[in-house]
Structure formats: C-alpha cells, structure tokens
C-alpha cells in the first residue's frame, strides 16, 4: 500500500524563450511576441492534456504544488496564467497551503506582472540570474545584464515577496575562483531565502555540445570552486538540503522539488513534460508528452507511456533520494515504491561494505565518501 501518494505535484511546461541559451537542454522554441492567439491555444491544449492525464487516475487528486517552468513562463500573458489556474482548480483539489511557483526571466518581468502574479495566487518565484558578471552572462548567451537581474530581484523585494529562489551557475568557461566568489557575495546581499547553485554541465542537444566553448574548466578547478562555495554558504548560514539547493530557513525548502527527490507522484503537462503516476493497482507509470508544439496543439499530447519495472523503480528512487542531505527513513522506501525492503538488502549491504552508506535500525545515512563518489554509489543501484 503506497499511502503517501495521495498528494501530487503539477508541472506546467511553457515551451518558448526569447532566445535559446547555448548551455540549455530544456525544451524551448523561439517566442513570437505578437502571437497571442497561439498562446491562448496552447493554454487550452494544456487543459485538454490535463484532462487526459487525469483520466489515468480513478479519483480527483490533491495537489500540493504547481510549478510553471520552461522555457520562459513569464513571457505568457498573465491573464492566460490566471485562466489556467482557475480551470485547474475545477479539475483537482489544490491544498490551501499549496506552493505555486513561476520561473521568471529577468528580461520579461515588470512590477505590474509581479503584482498580478501575487493577486492570482502565485506564492513563489524563481529567477534565472545565473551570474552578476556581465562578461560571464554573455558567455552563457543570456540576454540580461547584471543591472537587469538586480532590478528583477528588487521588484520582488519591494513587493515583500519572501519566498523566492535565485538560480546561479558556477563553472562558466574561463570563470575564476574570485568571479565565482563575487557572484555568491552579491547573491546573498539580497538575502534570498532559497538559492539554487548549479554547476554548468555540457549536455547533449545543446549548442555548447555541438561547438565546445573555449576555456572549459578542469574537474580539479571545478572542485576548488565547489569547496569554496560550500564553505561560503555554511559561513553565511545557508543550509544545504540538496546537492544544488540552499536555504536560509528550512520552511523555504522547495515543496515541488522535494516531491521529485522523495520519488513522489507528479503530473506534467505541456510539450516534453513527464508524469509519474501510481495507478490504483500500485503499478507506476511514466508518461512523456510530445515535444512537437504543432502536434501537441493538434491534441497528440502523449509521446510514450512506460510502466516502470522494479529495477527502474529502485534505481529512480535512489537516484532522486540520494540528492537530499537527509538521512533516509527505511520505511520511506516501501511507502514510495511499494517494493519490500528485503529486495534491496544485497544492494544496501554492498553500499555499506564500500563505505558509501551507514545504517542503524531505522535509517540509512550517506557517508562523506558516499557524497564524494555519488555516481559510484548509484551504480550499485542500476
Ligand atoms: S532562458 Fe532558460 S529555458 Fe530559455 S533557453 Fe535560456 S536557460 Fe533555457
């Protein structure tokens, strides 16, 4: 019986950006500003997609978080976002304290938009700052400058928004230790309650993958930046609760992302979005949505449905759960996967023998060695 699966998260993908950034592997196409009709058609498609996705579930579900991601959701007219939220509320129960996040790009934000977002119930904001160094922003192909980024943060602060995240990247080609340090000093000067500090990685299907940028940093140097950052966050009382996520206060941990990392259930609507659904017979399926906008808007929403095998479930559970800096309650594994613990004892024992995990009666703990060699630890679970 998987009893914690009652509460779902909902991800909504907006597939447009002003311009593709060379390091980005999220699905997005160029945005055509004047085409409001297309925006509205897409919003309507999202609702039909939601109806179809919900048909996999027998009962009306409870939603604990909604996340507008992309692409650049802040490009979409607020009235459409408002309409979408109202229509979603007719289809699912949204918990009173549900977290509703929108990703915003510094280039597509204004004070009016933020006030409108707050008025329609959005209660968390995530801004893609990436760096405060204009040279490095250019290398990342971002359209904003440090000044535009600061302006976006100040709009949130002026409107008393406390629950916001700032994204920042390290490991930008040619970046010095000092430049990374300066980015971190600048970011904490705004006292954000949540910071996502990511390492730049060169992913397949990106412009950087096709044409490698000059001055890529070596692993040794990346490690130096990482250690410097970890020390910096801890000195400034930011608690790391996940590989890339830091909070000033635990109440600002991102509910939506925590749901992924605990291997909870979620619905994903929009081009290229994924859903993970536990069916009433306790089978877990993954649904992937079409990443062709035209086909998607012609109601061909689903590109694949796959039932996860026990092997997939075990690996995916640990792949996500090991990201969190939190001991693992043993029963958690059964709650979220429906698989008896006995099935993974050989894998756990191997991890303990290799020095990656420790255990007591109720919990498993990742050791420092486990964090250092996370990929090796995960390989045991593949
Ligand atoms: S703005 Fe964000 S989603 Fe869009 S291309 Fe750049 S990194 Fe990707």
């Amino acid at each position: 019986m998987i009893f914690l699966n009652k509460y779902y998260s909902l991800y909504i993908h907006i597939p447009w950006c002003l311009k593709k950034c060379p390091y980005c592997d999220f699905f997005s196409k160029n945005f055509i500003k004047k085409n409001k009709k297309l925006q509205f058609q897409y919003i309507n498609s999202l609702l039909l997609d939601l109806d179809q996705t919900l048909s996999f579930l027998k009962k009306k579900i409870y939603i604990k978080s909604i996340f507008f991601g992309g692409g650049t959701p802040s490009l979409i007219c607020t009235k459409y976002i408002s309409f979408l939220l109202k229509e979603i509320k007719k289809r699912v129960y949204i918990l009173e304290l549900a977290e509703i996040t929108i990703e915003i790009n510094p280039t597509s934000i204004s004070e009016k938009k933020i006030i409108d977002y707050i008025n329609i119930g959005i209660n968390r904001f995530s801004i893609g700052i990436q760096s405060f160094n204009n040279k490095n922003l250019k290398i990342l192909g971002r359209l904003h400058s440090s000044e535009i980024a600061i302006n976006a943060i100040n709009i949130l602060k002026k409107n008393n928004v406390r629950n916001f995240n700032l994204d920042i990247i390290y490991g930008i080609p040619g970046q010095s230790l000092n430049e990374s340090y300066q980015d971190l000093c600048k970011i904490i000067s705004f006292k954000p309650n949540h910071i996502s500090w990511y390492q730049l990685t060169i992913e397949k299907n990106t412009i950087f993958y096709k044409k490698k940028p000059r001055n890529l940093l070596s692993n040794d140097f990346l490690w130096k930046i990482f250690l410097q950052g970890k020390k910096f966050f801890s000195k400034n009382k930011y608690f790391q609760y996940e590989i890339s996520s830091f909070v000033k206060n635990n109440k600002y941990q991102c509910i939506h992302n925590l749901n992924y990392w605990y291997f909870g259930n979620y619905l994903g609507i929009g081009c290229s979005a994924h859903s993970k659904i536990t069916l009433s017979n306790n089978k877990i399926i993954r649904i992937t949505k079409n990443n062709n906008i035209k086909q998607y808007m012609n109601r061909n929403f689903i590109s694949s449905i796959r039932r996860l095998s026990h092997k997939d479930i075990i690996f995916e559970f640990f792949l996500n759960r090991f990201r969190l800096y939190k001991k693992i309650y043993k029963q958690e594994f059964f709650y979220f996967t429906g698989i008896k613990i006995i099935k993974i004892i050989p894998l756990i024992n191997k991890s303990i023998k290799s020095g990656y995990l420790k255990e007591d009666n109720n919990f498993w703990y990742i050791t420092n060695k486990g964090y250092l060699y996370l990929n090796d630890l995960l390989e045991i679970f593949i």
Side-chain angles (χ1 to χ4, degrees), residues 22 32 43 60 91 171 180 200 222 257 296 321 341 347 355:
I32 304 150
I43 296 290
K60 196 166 169 181
R91 290 158 167 84
S180 171
L200 179 84
L222 286 169
N257 285 340
Y296 180 85
R321 188 55 182 81
I341 294 177
L347 306 178

Side-chain angles (χ1 to χ4, degrees), residues 17 19-21 23-24 28 70-72 105 142:
C17 288
K19 178 185 158 255
K20 191 78 195 166
C21 303
Y23 61 92
C24 174
S28 69
T72 306
N105 187 306
R142 302 295 304 207

Side-chain angles (χ1 to χ4, degrees), residues 128-140:
I129 300 291
Q130 318 313 357
S131 174
F132 290 99
N133 179 309
N134 283 336
K135 175 197 75 161
N136 287 336
L137 282 170
K138 242 191 185 150
I139 292 172
L140 290 175

